[in-house]
C-alpha cells in the first residue's frame, strides 16, 4: 500500500498506514516515511538509488537487452504489449536498475528492483540483470547490494522464469566462493521466486520496517490451508523474531548501516602496534581461593560483551538470527573494527540486573544462539576476517525447547567449525566459562582468561551435587576442579591472563575494556600473516595435545607462540598420571556414571 494523493494539486497525501493527512513536501523530506506512524511507502528504483548512494557517485548501466516471450503468452493482452506498457509508464527498460557507486564512501555494485514494472516480477530480463550485477561484483571484487521488491516469478514466461531462481542463486554462490560480501535489502513487498532465491541468500539480510517477505502471499496461504494467520504474519518484525533477518533498519539509517557493513568487509588502514599486557607466568599471579574466584567471576557489575563492544570496537553492526528458528539474545554477534582491523565478534551476553539477565537468558544460549554464532563465524571465514569471542556463561541453556531444537548438535557443530576456521581466532573468557556451552566459542588459536574469570567442565555447584550429593560443597568442588586463572595458565588451557583494574573489571569498565583490547589486538598481531592451513593445523594440534603424552600433527605449520604438534601444553599432565591436588581427599572413590550423565 502506498500513500495516496487526496486532491488534484498533490499538496496533500493520506498515509496508507495510519490514514493521517500529510503535507506532501514534508512526506518527501522524510524519504516517504510517515512522520506520525513510521509507515514506509514504496520508492521507485531511481528514488532508491538517490537515497542510498553518495551524491553524484551512482552510475547505471544496462546489460544486454533480453526480450523473452517463450510461450507467446496472451491473457487479456499479449505479453509483449504488457512489457511495452510498463516501459512507457515507468521509463525503465526492465524491472531492475544495475548501478555502480559508493555508499558512505565504500564502493558497491547494486541491482535495484522496481515494483512498478509488472510487480517487480522475476523474468528472464530481471534474472539477467541480477546475474550481471553479481558477475560485475565478482570481476571487480566489490560487494554486491540487492534491493528487492517483487510479487514473485513472472507467470507469462512460464518455466523460463522459474529457471531464473537457479541462475541467480548460482551467481551468488560464485561470490561466496570468491569471498565477496553480499547484502540484500528487503522492501515491501518481496514474495515468491525472489524471496526463495537471491533476496534471502545473501550474507546479510536487511529489511525496512513493516516490509513483507514470504514464499506465498497471505491470501494464497489462507485460501490453501483455510486457517487464520497470526497478526503481522510475514512482516519484517515477525520474521526478525523468528531468526530470518539480520536487521530491521529505518530508511533514514540505511546508508549508514550499509556503509558500516561495507567497511567491516574492507582491508582497513594502518593499525597501532599493541604491547601485550598478558601475564604468562603463573608464578607471578597471586594464589587465590578458587571459590572466591567463582564469586568474583559472577559479580553483576562485570563488563558484558556489549560493554566491551561499546568501548573498543568501532562501527559494530550486530547481526541477528540463525536463519532457521530464532534469534537468541544470550549471544551477540556481528562485524566491526578493532584497532582499525575488521573483525567478527561473537560473545555471550548476561546483564547487570534482574530484568536484563532474564531478557538475555542469563547468558545461557540455546541452539539458535550457537547457530547464529556459527553463521557469523562462517561469514568471517568467507571474508578473511579474524574472529574474536568473549565468553561469560554458566553453560548452554538446559531445557526442553533447547533439546527439541538440537542443543547438543549445535554445540558440536560449533566446536567442529571453529577447529576448521581458516582465519585467526582469539577467545577470551571474561567471566564464567561453563562446560561445553563455553567451549563452543573457545576453540581458538589463543585462549585468554581475565584475572577474575573461571573456566571449568562443570559448575562448582553441579560438581558438588554429583560427587558429594550436596551443592553446599561447591567451595570444595571449585578447589578440586582448579577453575581460577592461575590454575588455567599453569595447566596450559590459557595462553595468558588479562589483568583487571582495582578490585576487578567491574570497578572500571573503560580500563578493563582497553586492557582487553590491547591483549586481543596483540594476540591477533602474532597470528597475522599465517595462512589458513597452518592456522587450522596448529589449532587442531593444540587441542590434540590435551591429555596426551604425544600428539600427531604438523609442527612445521605452527604459528609462533602456539603449542607445536607432538608436545603437551605447559602444565598439562601426561596420560596415566594424576596432577597433585586435583582430587579431594574425601571425594567418593567411584562415580556413578548414570548420575553424572
Amino acid at each position: 500500500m502506498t500513500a495516496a494523493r487526496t486532491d488534484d494539486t498533490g499538496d496533500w497525501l493520506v498515509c496508507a498506514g495510519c490514514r493521517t493527512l500529510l503535507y506532501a513536501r514534508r512526506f518527501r523530506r522524510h524519504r516517504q516515511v510517515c512522520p506520525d506512524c513510521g509507515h514506509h511507502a514504496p520508492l521507485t528504483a531511481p528514488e532508491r538509488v538517490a537515497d542510498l548512494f553518495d551524491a553524484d557517485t551512482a552510475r547505471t548501466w544496462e546489460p544486454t537487452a533480453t526480450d523473452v516471450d517463450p510461450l507467446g503468452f496472451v491473457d487479456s493482452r499479449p505479453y509483449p504489449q504488457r512489457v511495452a506498457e510498463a516501459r512507457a509508464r515507468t521509463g525503465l527498460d526492465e524491472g531492475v536498475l544495475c548501478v555502480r557507486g559508493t555508499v558512505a564512501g565504500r564502493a558497491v555494485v547494486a541491482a535495484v528492483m522496481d515494483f512498478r514494472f509488472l510487480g517487480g516480477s522475476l523474468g528472464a530480463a530481471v534474472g539477467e540483470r541480477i546475474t550481471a550485477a553479481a558477475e560485475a561484483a565478482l570481476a571487480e571484487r566489490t560487494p554486491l547490494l540487492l534491493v528487492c521488491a517483487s510479487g514473485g516469478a513472472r507467470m507469462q514466461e512460464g518455466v523460463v522464469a522459474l529457471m531464473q531462481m537457479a541462475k541467480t542463486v548460482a551467481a551468488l554462490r560464485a561470490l561466496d566462493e570468491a569471498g565477496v560480501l553480499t547484502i540484500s535489502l528487503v522492501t515491501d513487498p518481496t514474495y515468491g521466486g525472489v524471496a526463495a532465491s537471491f533476496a534471502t541468500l545473501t550474507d546479510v539480510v536487511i529489511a525496512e520496517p513493516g516490509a513483507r517477505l514470504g514464499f506465498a502471499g497471505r491470501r494464497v496461504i489462507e485460501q490453501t490451508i483455510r486457517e487464520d494467520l497470526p497478526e503481522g504474519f510475514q512482516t519484517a518484525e515477525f520474521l526478525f523474531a523468528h531468526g530470518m533477518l539480520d536487521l530491521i533498519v529505518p530508511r533514514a539509517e540505511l546508508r549508514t548501516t550499509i556503509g558500516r557493513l561495507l567497511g567491516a568487509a574492507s582491508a582497513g588502514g594502518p593499525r597501532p602496534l599493541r604491547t601485550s599486557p598478558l601475564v604468562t607466568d603463573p608464578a607471578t599471579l597471586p594464589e587465590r581461593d578458587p571459590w572466591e574466584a567463582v564469586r568474583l567471576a559472577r559479580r553483576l557489575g562485570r563488563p558484558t560483551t556489549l560493554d566491551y563492544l561499546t568501548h573498543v570496537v568501532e562501527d559494530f553492526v550486530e547481526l541477528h538470527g540463525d536463519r532457521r528458528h530464532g534469534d537468541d539474545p544470550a549471544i551477540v554477534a556481528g562485524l566491526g573494527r578493532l584497532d582499525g582491523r575488521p573483525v567478527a565478534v561473537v560473545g555471550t551476553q548476561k546483564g547487570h540486573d534482574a530484568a536484563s539477565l532474564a531478557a538475555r537468558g542469563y547468558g545461557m544460549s540455546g541452539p539458535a544462539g550457537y547457530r547464529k554464532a556459527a553463521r557469523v563465524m562462517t561469514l568471517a571465514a568467507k571474508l578473511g576476517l579474524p574472529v574474536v569471542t568473549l565468553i561469560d556463561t554458566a553453560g548452554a541453556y538446559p531445557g526442553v525447547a533447547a533439546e527439541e531444537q538440537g542443543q547438543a548438535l549445535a554445540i558440536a557443530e560449533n566446536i567442529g567449525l571453529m577447529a576448521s576456521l581458516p582465519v585467526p581466532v582469539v577467545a577470551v573468557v571474561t567471566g564464567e566459562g561453563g562446560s561445553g556451552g563455553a567451549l563452543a566459542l573457545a576453540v581458538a588459536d589463543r585462549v585468554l582468561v581475565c584475572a577474575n574469570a573461571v573456566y571449568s567442565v562443570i559448575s562448582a555447584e553441579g560438581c558438588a551435587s554429583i560427587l558429594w550429593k550436596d551443592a553446599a560443597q561447591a567451595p570444595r568442588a571449585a578447589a578440586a576442579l582448579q577453575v581460577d586463572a592461575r590454575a588455567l595458565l599453569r595447566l596450559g588451557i590459557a595462553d595468558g591472563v588479562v589483568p583487571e583494574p582495582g578490585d576487578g573489571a567491574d570497578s572500571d569498565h573503560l580500563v578493563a575494556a582497553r586492557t582487553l583490547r590491547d591483549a586481543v589486538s596483540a594476540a591477533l598481531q602474532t597470528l597475522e600473516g599465517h595462512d589458513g592451513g597452518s592456522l587450522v593445523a596448529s589449532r587442531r594440534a593444540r587441542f590434540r595435545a590435551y591429555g596426551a603424552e604425544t600428539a600427531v600433527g604438523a609442527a612445521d605449520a605452527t604459528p609462533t607462540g602456539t603449542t607445536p604438534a607432538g608436545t603437551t601444553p605447559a602444565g598439562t599432565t601426561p596420560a596415566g598420571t594424576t596432577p597433585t591436588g586435583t582430587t579431594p581427599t574425601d571425594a567418593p572413590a567411584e562415580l556413578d556414571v548414570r548420575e553424572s550423565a
Side-chain angles (χ1 to χ4, degrees):
M1 297 177 66
T2 67
R5 289 180 174 173
T6 59
D7 60 28
D8 294 336
T9 65
D11 289 337
W12 296 92
L13 306 168
V14 173
C15 172
C18 64
R19 310 306 298 174
T20 298
L21 190 65
L22 302 174
Y23 185 49
R25 290 183 180 179
R26 184 185 182 207
F27 179 66
R28 288 191 289 270
R29 282 198 305 269
H30 282 81
R31 295 178 167 87
Q32 300 192 39
V33 176
C34 176
D36 291 333
C37 75
H39 174 75
H40 284 54
L43 295 179
T44 68
E47 288 171 338
R48 184 70 68 176
V49 170
D51 191 58
L52 287 177
F53 282 80
D54 299 334
D56 301 321
T57 68
R59 300 290 182 268
T60 61
W61 91 94
E62 291 186 2
T64 303
T66 304
D67 283 322
V68 174
D69 184 17
L71 308 181
F73 196 95
V74 178
D75 43 53
S76 60
R77 294 189 301 281
Y79 172 48
Q81 183 178 334
R82 286 190 177 276
V83 172
E85 290 172 352
R87 287 173 175 166
R89 184 176 63 257
T90 63
L92 300 177
D93 182 60
E94 251 296 344
V96 175
L97 282 182
C98 294
V99 188
R100 288 184 178 89
T102 65
V103 175
R106 305 285 182 177
V108 66
V109 173
V112 182
M113 302 186 74
D114 196 314
F115 193 80
R116 297 175 303 157
F117 200 105
L118 298 182
S121 52
L122 176 60
V126 170
E128 183 63 24
R129 282 157 176 75
I130 297 292
T131 302
E135 290 171 345
L138 178 63
E140 300 164 19
R141 292 298 193 269
T142 302
L144 174 69
L145 171 64
L146 302 173
V147 181
C148 305
S150 177
R154 192 169 294 181
M155 293 178 290
Q156 294 90 339
E157 295 182 16
V159 74
V160 172
L162 183 67
M163 294 302 106
Q164 304 309 307
M165 295 171 64
K167 174 179 176 176
T168 54
V169 166
L172 286 184
R173 285 305 185 205
L175 291 172
D176 288 340
E177 294 161 3
V180 177
L181 176 68
T182 57
I183 303 170
S184 67
L185 170 58
V186 174
T187 71
D188 187 59
T190 299
Y191 279 112
V194 170
S197 58
F198 56 86
T200 53
L201 207 59
T202 54
D203 298 317
V204 180
V205 181
I206 304 171
E208 287 191 324
R212 292 166 295 169
L213 170 70
F215 183 57
R218 184 185 187 102
R219 185 173 59 185
V220 172
I221 295 173
E222 288 179 329
Q223 290 176 349
T224 302
I225 66 175
R226 302 193 182 282
E227 292 181 9
D228 292 331
L229 299 175
E231 186 67 26
F233 179 69
Q234 293 184 323
T235 62
E237 292 73 16
F238 178 90
L239 294 167
F240 182 84
H242 288 81
M244 302 302 169
L245 301 176
D246 285 287
L247 298 160
I248 299 175
V249 182
R251 191 169 289 165
E253 300 172 16
L254 280 170
R255 183 185 297 179
T256 299
T257 300
I258 293 171
R260 286 180 175 177
L261 287 167
L262 297 174
S266 65
R271 302 161 193 161
L273 293 176
R274 299 291 183 186
T275 300
S276 177
L278 291 176
V279 177
T280 57
D281 181 359
T284 63
L285 293 171
E287 291 192 29
R288 174 178 292 154
D289 176 65
W291 179 242
E292 179 62 20
V294 171
R295 295 177 64 191
L296 288 171
R298 292 174 177 173
R299 290 207 298 212
L300 288 181
R302 290 183 67 80
T304 65
T305 291
L306 288 175
D307 294 326
Y308 284 119
L309 290 172
T310 297
H311 290 305
V312 302
V313 177
E314 309 97 35
D315 295 331
F316 182 73
V317 180
E318 184 176 356
L319 304 179
H320 294 267
D322 66 349
R323 303 273 179 94
R324 295 190 191 182
H325 169 76
D327 178 50
D328 194 320
I331 285 186
V332 172
L335 306 180
R337 303 174 80 83
L338 177 69
D339 269 347
R341 175 192 294 106
V343 294
V345 182
V346 177
T348 53
Q349 177 67 22
K350 287 185 177 178
H352 295 302
D353 52 38
S356 58
L357 282 167
R360 295 283 179 174
Y362 299 89
M364 296 186 292
S365 177
Y370 290 113
R371 289 176 178 135
K372 172 172 61 175
R375 195 169 67 79
V376 173
M377 289 190 287
T378 300
L379 175 57
K382 169 184 169 174
L383 300 177
L385 306 182
V387 172
V388 177
T389 65
L390 305 177
I391 301 154
D392 183 10
T393 180
Y397 177 73
V400 174
E403 295 299 333
E404 289 175 342
Q405 296 159 23
Q407 180 74 294
L409 177 60
I411 292 171
E413 287 177 336
N414 263 31
I415 293 171
L417 171 65
M418 295 191 76
S420 303
L421 288 174
V423 293
V425 184
V426 175
V428 188
V429 181
T430 63
E432 287 186 278
S435 192
L439 182 62
L441 300 179
V443 181
D445 303 299
R446 299 286 187 272
V447 178
L448 315 179
V449 296
C450 290
N452 291 330
V454 294
Y455 192 9
S456 179
V457 67
I458 190 173
S459 70
E461 293 89 344
C463 177
S465 296
I466 294 172
L467 295 181
W468 283 277
K469 311 296 190 294
D470 181 5
Q473 298 298 317
R476 297 171 65 189
L481 290 168
Q482 301 189 42
V483 299
D484 61 292
R486 189 173 191 268
L488 294 168
L489 187 58
R490 180 182 63 80
L491 290 167
I493 302 299
D495 295 296
V497 174
V498 183
E500 297 187 24
D503 294 330
D506 48 318
S507 66
D508 193 326
H509 283 200
L510 181 57
V511 171
R514 288 175 175 172
T515 305
L516 183 139
R517 174 203 61 194
D518 292 350
V520 171
S521 191
L524 289 173
Q525 286 169 192
T526 69
L527 297 168
E528 289 173 345
H530 294 282
D531 65 86
S534 66
L535 288 167
V536 170
S538 177
R539 196 180 307 135
R540 290 177 178 176
R542 173 199 183 104
F543 288 89
R544 171 66 178 86
Y546 289 123
E549 291 186 84
T550 60
V552 179
D556 292 342
T558 304
T560 304
T562 60
T563 305
T567 66
T568 302
T572 57
T573 306
T577 66
T578 302
T580 303
T582 59
T583 305
T585 55
D586 55 351
E590 296 181 358
L591 170 65
D592 188 325
V593 175
R594 292 169 297 177
E595 290 181 347
S596 68

